Amino acid sequence: MGAVISGLVGAVKGVKSVIGVIRGLSADYNEVLARANKSPGLPVANPTVAFWQEDPPFPELVDVRSAELPQTADIVIVGSGIAAAAIARSVLHESRRTGKPARRVVICEARSLCSGATGRNGGHIKPSAHESFARLCKRMSPQRAAELIRFQLRHLDTFVELCRAEHIDIAECREVETADFFLDDDDFSKAVGQVEELRKWVPEHDVSVLTAAEAREKFFVNEQVKGALAYKAGALWPYRFVTSIWNKLLSDFPKSLSLETAMAVDGIELGSAADFPYAVSTSRGTIRARHVVHATNGFAPHLVPGLRGKAIGILAQMSAQRPGRNFPDLDGRRSWSVIYGSGFDYATQRPTSPAGVPGHVLLGGGFSLGPKQGMENIAVYDDSKMGALANAHNLGIMAAIFEPNWGPPPTDDQGGKNYVWSGIVAISADAIPLVGKLDPRVVGRKVKPARKTDSEHDDAAEWIAAAFVGDGMVWAWLSGTALGVMIMGSDEEELAAVPGRPGGKLYDWFPRELLPTYKRVKKMDLMDLAEEIM
């Protein structure tokens, strides 16, 4: 779900198929627009159960909360997924580095810890760079598009280095060889052309092009595959990674960080206190805050009215399935994508267990296989629901392209059961994430600037790291890390590289195109997205 849903990644592929039938489904499309312009509300209380969240490594953190609700906070972060963890870590580490007064950070999570998009995605650290580059070039120069691609590509080495430095072995973070399988000759030819163009601007990203025969020999697929692309990518267990980060932060900053689960934020108002001007209304009471950070991905428009109709959530589906008995055991070192017309599926495989049992295959997709070609999933925020056709597709596509090298299901003692679940991915109207300080005109709340003589406090503000276009694993961590640097006012400093963050000045590695300027947000329109992906 949050893995590589190529192009606009995930949702966008489904949206593309939807747009193709707009003329015949205008009433349905109008319903989509109506939903998109409303508040998404709060996450449902009874979501489907994701494979990732079973047997949590830190049970005490699942429903963690303080005995008493903090009354004030320097920074309230709404959300507890990968972006929120990166923001909190960046703020706390930067506060310690600079010697500034310790920042009090409070995390507000409506459900259990990391139960949203991060805890439900595919764990696939894979940008479809060739397709993303072609799309981005419609909006900006190839030089700038190349920098956005490099930002995405940087995530793999960042994750691997950070997991090694923090000893997060339980996250199973690893480099993999990935393969894109094309089931149509025209789609394959188009992709090869995109790869050739990408090579001119991002030559360091090595992509191999394989014919159908070469793909069959190397990847064990059958004659359904007309060609393939192969390149470096990565995979990890996202829930374990994020909860490990939270556990380490609580250990390192016990007096500065509070995690408050089962505590929805239902409103933000301006209060009378100059030092803590925001009154953050929650299900447990009000927190007065100096900064508020929106890290809720598809749910961000709930508290940011100016994003309604400009950033939306989309219901998507995932599976964890036991590989067939004939499937080659590569110890989790390979991943796959299947591209077919307007559809797109993505898959990773966990490493082999110490007992020699092949890991589950984590596969998401089947978006357009619904009664309204996927339109019924757009601007829908209920992850307690699933579509039967998408589940059937997701549990059958691997056998369809790998037989006879997939084989019959394993026996009960060879790897456990299959799982299916859903989650909410997010997309912005210009198909680029929103990361940075929010303009008061977008949030509908304006705080007076800090007194010039007040050296302890910077200007209070609202911030965002959200709308990761269905591909959070190659956007969210460094976006959240960058946002923490911005909040701490260190964006113009030359910072040393540390595990989890590149070195240099912020805008040496963070693309300014992600900033949610008022001009950008005002211009955003979902119809532009429809036109772009036609």
Side-chain angles (χ1 to χ4, degrees):
M1 213 164 306
V4 178
I5 314 176
S6 138
L8 301 184
V9 198
V12 176
K13 274 295 186 179
V15 173
K16 182 175 181 180
S17 68
V18 171
I19 300 302
V21 295
I22 283 178
R23 292 181 181 87
L25 296 171
S26 58
D28 294 327
Y29 187 66
N30 287 335
E31 290 180 8
V32 169
L33 291 179
R35 291 198 300 267
N37 282 285
K38 294 180 180 179
S39 168
L42 295 170
V44 298
N46 57 332
T48 51
V49 179
F51 167 84
W52 301 121
Q53 297 168 27
E54 291 212 338
D55 191 24
F58 307 102
E60 70 279 10
L61 296 186
V62 173
D63 299 310
V64 63
R65 55 162 51 182
S66 302
E68 294 185 8
L69 180 68
Q71 297 300 300
T72 61
D74 294 292
I75 303 166
V76 165
I77 301 175
V78 188
S80 66
I82 189 168
I87 296 162
R89 184 178 185 274
S90 184
V91 164
L92 293 169
H93 280 239
E94 188 61 9
S95 178
R96 183 168 62 186
R97 181 194 71 84
T98 59
K100 293 179 179 178
R103 297 299 194 266
R104 179 67 186 272
V105 179
V106 176
I107 308 300
C108 300
E109 169 56 56
R111 302 191 297 205
S112 60
L113 192 69
C114 194
S115 60
T118 302
R120 300 174 169 276
N121 70 25
H124 210 175
I125 313 167
K126 173 183 173 178
S128 294
H130 56 284
E131 188 170 0
S132 296
F133 180 75
R135 172 178 56 81
L136 290 167
C137 283
K138 296 178 181 179
R139 292 192 175 274
M140 62 190 72
S141 70
Q143 291 92 339
R144 292 308 307 159
E147 289 308 304
L148 268 71
I149 295 301
R150 290 188 174 97
F151 180 74
Q152 291 184 300
L153 293 171
R154 192 188 290 267
H155 276 75
L156 175 55
D157 290 341
T158 299
F159 279 126
V160 171
E161 179 189 29
L162 180 58
C163 286
R164 184 181 299 120
E166 299 283 0
H167 307 290
I168 311 177
D169 298 336
I170 59 173
E172 301 175 347
C173 186
R174 61 205 181 276
E175 182 180 311
V176 304
E177 178 185 35
T178 195
D180 293 348
F181 299 137
F182 294 84
L183 307 189
D184 179 82
D185 289 317
D186 290 341
D187 288 340
F188 180 52
S189 296
K190 179 181 178 181
V192 171
Q194 291 173 338
V195 168
E196 292 173 351
E197 188 63 21
L198 176 68
R199 285 171 175 161
K200 300 175 185 178
W201 299 97
V202 192
E204 67 271 23
H205 181 54
D206 185 27
V207 181
S208 299
V209 178
L210 292 84
T211 65
E214 290 169 335
R216 287 195 295 272
E217 180 179 358
K218 181 176 177 62
F219 296 114
F220 314 110
V221 291
N222 58 33
E223 67 282 353
Q224 300 294 332
V225 174
K226 308 304 180 184
L229 304 177
Y231 45 99
K232 184 173 77 170
L236 55 64
W237 190 310
Y239 179 79
R240 287 184 176 179
F241 170 77
V242 171
T243 53
S244 294
I245 294 293
W246 286 128
N247 186 63
K248 184 69 161 56
L249 290 176
L250 284 171
S251 175
D252 290 349
F253 303 95
K255 296 181 179 180
S256 299
L257 176 65
S258 299
L259 300 182
E260 308 295 340
T261 64
M263 192 178 81
V265 175
D266 47 36
I268 301 170
E269 296 180 353
L270 294 180
S272 57
D275 291 345
F276 301 100
Y278 293 106
V280 181
S281 176
T282 80
S283 53
R284 292 178 62 198
T286 299
I287 305 172
R288 292 185 294 117
R290 183 153 191 83
H291 296 276
V292 177
V293 184
H294 302 273
T296 52
N297 206 27
F299 287 88
H302 169 57
L303 297 171
V304 186
L307 292 181
R308 294 171 191 172
K310 299 176 184 293
I312 56 173
I314 298 176
L315 183 68
Q317 292 184 211
M318 272 293 301
S319 67
Q321 53 194 279
R322 299 179 298 171
R325 278 184 258 175
N326 296 345
F327 198 57
D329 182 4
L330 299 172
D331 194 26
R333 293 291 174 179
R334 186 168 286 167
S335 71
W336 311 267
S337 297
V338 185
I339 295 93
Y340 46 91
S342 62
F344 184 90
D345 306 324
Y346 52 98
T348 65
Q349 185 176 16
R350 287 189 58 216
T352 304
S353 76
V357 177
H360 276 79
V361 171
L362 286 300
L363 185 145
F367 175 85
S368 60
L369 299 176
K372 298 179 181 179
Q373 292 76 46
M375 194 177 292
E376 68 277 8
N377 298 320
I378 302 174
V380 170
Y381 300 88
D382 186 349
D383 53 7
S384 70
K385 297 180 178 180
M386 290 187 287
L389 291 177
N391 281 339
H393 170 89
N394 290 345
L395 293 174
I397 186 64
M398 293 292 279
I401 63 169
F402 281 104
E403 286 291 13
N405 295 314
W406 184 256
T411 58
D412 289 342
D413 61 347
Q414 292 179 313
K417 64 180 182 179
N418 293 338
Y419 300 75
V420 291
W421 68 93
S422 61
I424 311 302
V425 300
I427 188 168
S428 66
D430 61 7
I432 298 173
L434 295 156
V435 183
K437 183 184 291 187
L438 286 163
D439 189 283
R441 290 169 288 184
V442 175
V443 297
R445 297 173 284 268
K446 185 175 181 179
V447 176
K448 293 181 180 180
R451 300 186 302 273
K452 296 296 183 183
T453 57
D454 189 349
S455 59
E456 290 189 18
H457 294 111
D458 49 5
D459 286 343
E462 292 186 56
W463 310 76
I464 190 169
F468 293 115
V469 292
D471 212 355
M473 297 308 299
V474 293
W475 284 117
W477 178 263
L478 287 177
S479 292
T481 298
L483 189 61
V485 173
M486 295 179 207
I487 294 170
M488 291 300 296
S490 302
D491 40 318
E492 294 299 329
E493 291 189 42
E494 192 83 25
L495 301 178
V498 293
R501 188 195 68 207
K505 292 185 178 181
L506 179 68
Y507 296 107
D508 292 342
W509 55 268
F510 176 75
R512 292 179 183 270
E513 287 81 0
L514 277 64
L515 295 172
T517 63
Y518 180 66
K519 180 180 179 181
R520 176 189 168 196
V521 173
K522 185 178 180 181
K523 184 180 179 182
M524 290 167 63
D525 190 310
L526 288 179
M527 286 307 298
D528 293 337
L529 176 63
E531 293 172 4
E532 177 177 311
I533 60 178
M534 284 294 286

